[in-house]
Amino acid sequence: AGASWRAEYGDPDVPEEWSYLKHNSAYHNIDATKAPFPKLLMTTSTKDDRVHPYHARSFVKRLQDIGVPDVYYYENIEGGHGGAADAKQSAYVVALYQDFLFCALGGKRAGCGDP
């Protein structure tokens, strides 16, 4: 699906188009001097056929490499682009989001700070 978007958004392999596209890329705009970064929960699915999980993995790795604290990562080994394969997995991921948000906003419970 990604290749079909090139006509609409631009082709990163064309230097003139990449010079514009790179400004819209969170990955390419990570800048350690612009800290502090907010707490982050990055989620993906191993079987996502639209956005390869490498994108999430490498984004988290870059943040960790520059020492950004509170970066959490969850990769569902099933599912697809939506992140879950069934209702049970969807409920789990929604609960994960809600728990992360509760803790990120200062909620108090055992385990907050280590979702």
Side-chain angles (χ1 to χ4, degrees), residues 103 108-112:
C103 292
K108 302 296 181 202
R109 65 149 181 78
C112 271

Side-chain angles (χ1 to χ4, degrees), residues 42-80:
M42 178 69 71
T43 64
T44 189
S45 172
T46 304
K47 296 182 180 179
D48 188 334
D49 61 349
R50 293 192 213 169
V51 180
H52 194 279
Y54 173 79
H55 296 287
R57 295 172 191 153
S58 63
F59 187 79
V60 167
K61 175 78 167 96
R62 283 195 68 193
L63 291 173
Q64 290 173 336
D65 286 348
I66 65 169
V68 175
D70 299 318
V71 176
Y72 303 96
Y73 179 81
Y74 175 75
E75 183 169 329
N76 186 357
I77 60 171
E78 297 181 48

Side-chain angles (χ1 to χ4, degrees), residues 79-95:
H81 189 63
D86 57 29
K88 183 178 179 181
Q89 289 179 5
S90 291
Y92 178 83
V93 172
V94 169

